[in-house]
Amino acid sequence: MKNLKYTLFALGLIAFGCDGTYTDDIVPVAPGTDVDPPSITINFPLQGTLIRVAEDVTPLNINFEVKDDIEIESVVIRLNGTEILTVNEFLDYRRLVKTHRYEELGNGEHTLVIEARDTSGKTTTQTVNFEKVEPYTPVYDGEVFYLPFDGDYMELVRVREATINGSPGFADGVIGRAYRGSSSGYLTFPTDNLRNQEFSAVFWYKVNATPDRAGILVMGPPDTANPNSQNLRTRGMRLFREAAGANQRIKMNLGNGSGENWFDGGAAADINPAADEWAHIAITISGSNAAVYVNGQVVSQGAFAGIDWEGCDVLSIGSGAPRFTGWNHLATQSLIDELRIFNVSLTQEKIQEIMDAERP
């Protein structure tokens, strides 16, 4: 009885101020005034979500919220027609926020249905269709990185998300969606599997000439002497564009450890932004040679003693930032699609094969 007495006293203090004033903002509801059906918000998965993981079977964390104006009676979750959860006890009878972990989600298309019922019999149902995509298998020998930009920034070989800087976006691409650059947006990835003595990258590029110069792909070392205007070129790789009259010229700079090598094809490497067309860009690096290709044709090549990747722990996509900003090669506002990186130096025939397979 003593405990009950103190409990009732405490509840009284909650409901009323010390001076006896009522302070709780909950308004009693008269019977028969239940007007609205429950509301359901599904936070994950969303409509059209593509779940990409390396495993064929993965857990799924279903996150949702249910609210009702009076009282929730029950919440049911069904996945592909099978009931996987029923909730009929609630700490807060007007609101349920929950994450339910479903342990074994397989590959394929899935339908999630959440149904909520209130005590007056009103029912609401929300449906989400999503897909667990089969793990990606590299298509080409030596392919170690593939970023299709199909509505997300997921690299598919290692299944890892880019670090997003600024506000890049998406546009219609060569295949599906494409990366759309912005005035400050770019992506970065770690380079632990990319620093190989043979290196190639291929992608599609639709040039926007604003700004008049920009970084495209950069794997450079930190420039500790110029932290706010980095431009150390004795190691790593820098692929970028610069204005050449009305055109944009594709250029590459490589560091061999003691110096730098330039691959500038001049007018042969020019792309006309006014054409509003996709161009295919490829670069190849080996211990003896490096080359730049535009639409399958060599625009610059030459002897190269081999690249030095020391300190090149960041791959930047869509900008020279943060490691190649000293000459103002910042974010491109162009489109990029179907980016693949290889641990081999591709032949011209292989580059042409990839182009033909992806050509719009």
Side-chain angles (χ1 to χ4, degrees):
M1 291 295 293
K2 182 178 180 180
N3 289 339
L4 177 61
K5 176 182 177 182
Y6 287 141
T7 300
L8 292 173
F9 176 73
L11 290 174
L13 290 178
I14 294 172
F16 298 88
C18 292
D19 60 357
T21 304
Y22 183 74
T23 60
D24 194 345
D25 61 359
I26 297 176
V27 179
V29 178
T33 59
D34 188 346
V35 176
D36 298 321
S39 67
I40 302 172
T41 302
I42 301 177
N43 299 312
F44 188 84
L46 301 175
Q47 180 69 26
T49 291
L50 298 178
I51 296 174
R52 302 184 189 272
V53 295
E55 298 78 21
D56 285 319
V57 177
T58 187
L60 172 69
N61 290 317
I62 302 168
N63 179 265
F64 65 96
E65 179 180 9
V66 175
K67 293 181 180 179
D68 188 63
D69 55 343
I70 303 300
E71 184 174 355
I72 306 167
E73 181 177 88
S74 64
V75 175
V76 177
I77 301 179
R78 296 182 179 87
L79 184 64
N80 303 326
T82 299
E83 187 174 310
I84 61 172
L85 177 70
T86 297
V87 182
N88 47 34
E89 294 184 0
F90 306 92
L91 293 176
D92 182 342
Y93 54 85
R94 292 183 180 179
R95 181 171 182 255
L96 172 67
V97 178
K98 189 171 182 64
T99 298
H100 175 67
R101 184 179 175 91
Y102 179 75
E103 291 294 341
E104 296 190 347
L105 184 74
N107 296 328
E109 297 179 351
H110 300 278
T111 300
L112 172 70
V113 176
I114 298 181
E115 179 183 289
R117 179 183 176 91
D118 66 19
T119 52
S120 70
K122 297 182 179 66
T123 300
T124 300
T125 301
Q126 288 284 356
T127 300
V128 164
N129 295 291
F130 65 100
E131 184 176 358
K132 183 190 174 302
V133 182
E134 291 188 13
Y136 175 75
T137 301
V139 177
Y140 304 102
D141 292 342
E143 184 181 355
V144 294
F145 182 103
Y146 174 45
L147 185 53
F149 302 108
D150 284 338
D152 58 34
Y153 304 115
M154 178 76 75
E155 192 279 308
L156 300 188
V157 175
R158 287 204 164 185
V159 193
R160 53 187 177 182
E161 286 274 6
T163 297
I164 303 170
N165 302 272
S167 303
F170 298 97
D172 291 338
V174 173
I175 301 174
R177 304 291 280 165
Y179 172 91
R180 180 192 294 277
S182 68
S183 60
S184 62
Y186 65 99
L187 310 177
T188 59
F189 282 91
T191 62
D192 48 298
N193 68 322
L194 305 179
R195 299 189 300 266
N196 302 299
Q197 285 307 297
E198 291 197 0
F199 179 98
S200 299
V202 300
F203 58 95
W204 294 89
Y205 195 59
K206 183 180 282 191
V207 176
N208 180 338
T210 302
D212 67 348
R213 60 181 53 205
I216 302 174
L217 293 180
V218 173
M219 283 174 59
D223 187 352
T224 56
N226 301 286
N228 298 319
S229 185
Q230 299 192 48
N231 195 3
L232 181 58
R233 304 184 305 281
T234 55
R235 300 191 296 275
M237 175 272 295
R238 288 146 290 277
L239 182 70
F240 55 98
R241 63 172 177 81
E242 292 181 342
N247 295 325
Q248 283 288 315
R249 185 165 296 171
I250 305 299
K251 301 181 181 182
M252 180 169 68
N253 173 273
L254 303 177
N256 58 31
S258 59
E260 57 181 314
N261 296 75
W262 285 88
F263 296 85
D264 181 346
D270 286 355
I271 301 174
N272 182 3
D276 193 32
E277 294 176 349
W278 287 98
H280 190 268
I281 310 297
I283 61 173
T284 63
I285 303 168
S286 72
S288 60
N289 188 275
V292 178
Y293 297 78
V294 176
N295 292 325
Q297 301 302 310
V298 176
V299 297
S300 180
Q301 68 176 337
F304 180 61
I307 196 161
D308 187 335
W309 291 118
E310 182 182 352
C312 302
D313 57 351
V314 173
L315 167 67
S316 297
I317 301 171
S319 178
R323 300 283 174 80
F324 182 49
T325 61
W327 291 336
N328 208 34
H329 292 91
L330 302 175
T332 181
Q333 296 187 40
S334 306
L335 308 186
I336 304 172
D337 202 9
E338 299 297 306
L339 171 61
R340 302 177 193 267
I341 298 176
F342 302 79
N343 62 9
V344 297
S345 179
L346 295 177
T347 64
Q348 186 172 17
E349 291 74 20
K350 179 58 71 173
I351 292 170
Q352 187 67 52
E353 177 188 331
I354 295 170
M355 281 180 55
D356 291 342
E358 298 177 345
R359 189 184 301 277

